[in-house]
Amino acid sequence: MIFVTGGAGFIGSNFVLDWLAQSDEAVLNYDKLTYAGNLQNLASLQGDARHVFVRGDICDQAQVLALFRQHQPRAVVHFAAESHVDRSIHGPGEFIQTNINGTFSLLEAARAYWSELADGEKAAFRFLHVSTDEVYGTLGPDDAPFSETTPYAPNSPYSASKAASDHLVRSYHHTYGFPTLTTNCSNNYGPYHFPEKLIPLIIANAQAGKPLPIYGDGQQVRDWLFVSDHCTAIRRVLAEGRLGETYNVGGWNEKANLDVVHTLCDMLDTLKPKAGGGSYRDQITYVKDRPGHDRRYAIDARKLERELGWKPAETFETGIRKTVQWYLDNPQWVADVQSGAYANWVETNYNNREQ
Ligand code: NAD
Ligand code: DAU
């Protein structure tokens, strides 16, 4: 079996669903169920013996080690993290705790378990750390995309905490020969994306008749990747990645935020026209920029293509259509995640923000 951390979050739950759709190898899904973790994402696996869910914190080294010994995974795929840049600006503490201390704790448990394995199992064991392109900092308009050798220059508490975790993972390979793999991916989008992030937030706010908040001038560029393509990339790296290596994952889909929002508005205008007429674009509102906002991300994913034959299957146009349709088909999922603590976050981030 494989041991997945954070498998109730956005990418983690897509990964678990994809994994079990393609393989009968069981998954132990270890997740703290923070505000971002949602077992409804995994409802289709209810009663499926291949999926074992355990609620827990990656900082709990003793519990993690006990689970490793009990379930004998052949690999760890580590998604668990605090993942929202704006939240890291309002409160960095949890990011340091989970992303740095939690990854350290998980590495220690995994290394202890790995050191007890017999030679064959030891050689086959893998620890795949899921990271982000944000560790590389920000690009100018004419800069080459981030490659695996771009120096780290994180700019937010979130990206700094992910960078620290990447360095820990690297050091465990270098120092202990621990069999690590790291992926650094660009912005994901798709089903089960929590509506604090740009794309699902815009889809939800548009339908609710609320403002569509654009930070600053809206000309910041992100490189978008449909989530199932990220899952495929992780499976490829897990299967055939070279130990100790890092692999950049990206969609070759650089878009300015304002263009993304226009695309979403236009798509919704067609699929779900506004009751009172007009375009959803009328709801666009410019608000004060995110402090330290990175201007441009772009990923050079050629190493992954060259060495492991991975390419994204979706273009932005096909992926975004599937995404909008998924949100239109699943209003209850959105309503459920927006209840409770979500309202507090909206108030913290948007209510007193200058326009
Ligand atoms: P998410 O916030 O949607 O989910 C995170 C999951 O981790 C949640 O289920 C949460 O309950 C769990 N979790 C948080 N703290 C935990 C802890 N201490 N112990 C156990 N579980 C804990 O995040 P996501 O967007 O799915 O991102 C998953 C990973 O991929 C993260 O490591 C993130 O840095 C990375 N990543 C995300 C993107 C993106 O665009 N979303 C892009 C590149 C890399
Ligand atoms: O690049 C990978 C990263 O992508 C991941 O590591 C992070 O976990 C993930 O959250 C994402 O980070 P971003 O900060 O790029 O994503 P977000 O959806 O928060 O914002 C996308 C862009 O949209 C960014 O330039 C900020 C802008 N934005 C965001 C929100 C929430 C707005 O203009 N308005 C908004 O209300």
Side-chain angles (χ1 to χ4, degrees):
M1 66 134 57
I2 62 166
F3 189 102
V4 171
T5 72
F10 163 47
I11 305 174
S13 60
N14 275 282
F15 179 82
V16 170
L17 292 169
D18 277 11
W19 181 272
L20 292 175
Q22 325 224 356
S23 142
D24 277 333
E25 188 174 19
V27 173
L28 191 143
N29 185 349
Y30 187 77
D31 194 299
K32 186 177 172 183
L33 295 182
T34 67
Y35 79 94
N38 185 353
L39 286 178
Q40 281 183 36
N41 302 2
L42 301 159
S44 62
L45 296 177
Q46 224 162 19
D48 188 330
R50 298 172 307 161
H51 180 238
V52 179
F53 181 80
V54 176
R55 185 173 192 179
D57 188 330
I58 52 169
C59 299
D60 187 345
Q61 202 173 306
Q63 186 187 29
V64 172
L65 181 54
L67 287 167
F68 285 157
R69 286 179 175 148
Q70 182 188 350
H71 294 276
Q72 300 281 304
R74 69 164 179 95
V76 174
V77 183
H78 176 34
F79 293 97
E82 289 293 331
S83 71
H84 191 30
V85 174
D86 291 318
R87 285 186 192 254
S88 83
I89 294 166
H90 287 278
E94 280 299 310
F95 290 71
I96 306 306
Q97 179 60 11
T98 284
N99 300 0
I100 305 179
N101 294 333
T103 300
F104 166 65
S105 185
L106 183 69
L107 280 166
E108 279 294 89
R111 186 169 70 92
Y113 163 70
W114 170 73
S115 68
E116 297 164 0
L117 293 174
D119 285 351
E121 286 153 0
K122 202 171 182 179
F125 188 77
R126 297 288 181 269
F127 183 101
L128 192 151
H129 174 58
V130 180
S131 192
T132 171
D133 61 356
E134 302 204 8
V135 297
Y136 299 120
T138 187
L139 293 167
D142 301 321
D143 290 341
F146 301 129
S147 77
E148 288 79 0
T149 55
T150 301
Y152 274 34
N155 288 320
S156 72
Y158 163 68
S159 54
S161 68
K162 291 297 290 187
S165 67
D166 293 9
H167 292 325
L168 281 170
V169 170
R170 176 191 157 85
S171 77
Y172 271 58
H173 176 71
H174 194 78
T175 303
Y176 305 113
F178 186 61
T180 63
L181 299 157
T182 298
T183 54
N184 293 90
C185 189
S186 62
N187 285 62
N188 285 215
Y189 65 101
Y192 306 115
H193 204 182
F194 196 84
E196 64 185 355
K197 308 283 171 71
L198 180 71
I199 287 179
L201 179 91
I202 295 298
I203 297 171
N205 279 15
Q207 295 175 80
K210 293 181 179 165
L212 309 181
I214 305 287
Y215 295 168
D217 64 2
Q219 293 308 313
Q220 304 83 5
V221 171
R222 298 293 181 265
D223 178 354
W224 294 96
L225 182 71
F226 192 62
V227 64
S228 63
D229 279 325
H230 189 187
C231 297
T232 314
I234 291 170
R235 288 202 303 274
R236 291 293 304 136
V237 173
L238 186 62
E240 288 185 44
R242 286 188 291 128
L243 295 186
E245 290 291 313
T246 65
Y247 294 89
N248 282 358
V249 189
W252 304 102
N253 281 314
E254 284 187 61
K255 306 274 177 206
N257 292 338
L258 193 58
D259 293 336
V260 170
V261 173
H262 283 159
T263 300
L264 293 170
C265 290
D266 298 349
M267 209 164 265
L268 286 168
D269 284 341
T270 309
L271 295 172
K272 193 178 179 188
K274 271 172 89 118
S279 168
Y280 291 102
R281 287 191 185 211
D282 302 338
Q283 292 166 229
I284 289 175
T285 310
Y286 290 86
V287 299
K288 192 171 166 24
D289 208 351
R290 172 188 279 175
H293 199 171
D294 285 335
R295 194 70 181 164
R296 174 179 168 236
Y297 303 143
I299 277 282
D300 178 344
R302 282 178 297 180
K303 177 178 173 183
L304 188 50
E305 181 177 349
R306 191 175 58 245
E307 293 192 8
L308 304 183
W310 176 87
K311 264 187 181 179
E314 302 288 346
T315 63
F316 187 71
E317 289 64 34
T318 59
I320 203 72
R321 185 165 288 281
K322 286 182 183 175
T323 303
V324 171
Q325 195 58 57
W326 187 87
Y327 280 91
L328 291 177
D329 292 343
N330 292 277
Q332 195 55 47
W333 183 90
V334 178
D336 289 346
V337 299
Q338 283 181 330
S339 63
Y342 181 80
N344 300 338
W345 166 249
V346 171
E347 190 176 324
T348 305
N349 197 39
Y350 296 103
N351 277 13
N352 294 316
R353 204 167 185 132
E354 287 164 39
Q355 298 202 351

